[in-house]
Amino acid sequence: MTVTDQLSKVIDKTSRLIDLCAALQEENDLLKLENDSLKLSLESREIKKTELEEKLRVMTLARSLEGIQPTELGLSEKTLDIKQKITEFVREIDKCIVLLKK
């Protein structure tokens, strides 16, 4: 085998390695994008979970304060939701009034 043949083989192998490297880099970039997307999705779900846990805590507290189960009163979850929102609005209004008095 001549030096020219050996050099040609080295060049071919180098070319294949460069192509493989480019393909792996492209795959790596795609995996990074997918990873970022999954992280955002997970973060969004964690926020939603926290919101739902807080809502459940408030509803449980409201029910325990009422001392009567909502089904006994004929109240639906939607009615409780509306009551909770009204209560939140009243609190916000009270805060605004306090700020206006200062």
Side-chain angles (χ1 to χ4, degrees), residues 10 22-23 28-29 31 33 38-39 53 56 73 77-78:
V10 168
N28 189 32
D29 291 343
L31 289 171
L33 286 174
L38 290 171
K39 282 181 181 178
E53 286 173 343
L56 177 62
L73 295 173
E77 295 295 321
K78 187 174 182 180

Side-chain angles (χ1 to χ4, degrees), residues 22 28 37 60 83 92 100:
N28 189 32
S37 174
T60 304
K83 283 185 176 185
E92 286 298 316
L100 288 171

Side-chain angles (χ1 to χ4, degrees), residues 74-86:
L75 298 175
S76 67
E77 295 295 321
K78 187 174 182 180
T79 305
L80 289 174
D81 229 354
I82 293 169
K83 283 185 176 185
Q84 179 184 351
K85 289 200 183 295
I86 291 171

